[in-house]
Amino acid sequence: MLAGFATVFGSGTAQAAPQDCTVTRDLVGATATCHDVDAPAGREYTLIVECFGLHGVPNAFPLMAIGPYRGSWGGSFAPSGQGTATCLGPTSLGTVTNAYVAIYRD
C-alpha cells in the first residue's frame, strides 16, 4: 500500500491474490475496484477493512470495547467489479488502519 494524505488516506495495488485491484481508503471506509479479466469463472473477491475504535464485543452485546476490529463489508463482488467496506456500523465507530482485497470464492 502506498501511504499519502489528502482526501484519500492511501491507495495502491491489493496485497492479496487479485493483483489487478486498486484499493482506496479514507478515514472511515474503503473502496476496491478490480479489472481482473483473466480470473477463473466463478471467482469472487471481498474487501476487508481493519479498524480501530469503539466496537461491540462479539457475542456479548451490549458490552463495548476500544481497540482493533474488522469493519463491515458490502459482500462479494466480481473480478471486474467494485466493493466497499466501512468502520461505521450500528455498534461500531472507528477509523481504517488497513484495507485489502481477498479471494472470497475461487
Side-chain angles (χ1 to χ4, degrees), residues 35-104:
H35 300 287
D36 189 356
V37 294
D38 297 325
R43 177 176 280 178
E44 295 178 30
Y45 295 146
T46 186
L47 175 62
I48 299 169
V49 299
E50 296 173 354
C51 310
F52 187 90
L54 181 67
H55 61 93
V57 176
N59 302 318
F61 184 80
L63 295 178
M64 301 295 282
I66 295 177
Y69 66 97
R70 284 227 172 132
S72 67
W73 55 289
S76 62
F77 59 95
S80 292
Q82 186 173 12
T84 60
T86 183
C87 290
L88 305 176
T91 61
S92 61
L93 175 64
T95 60
V96 175
T97 58
N98 192 23
Y100 56 94
V101 174
I103 294 174
Y104 180 74

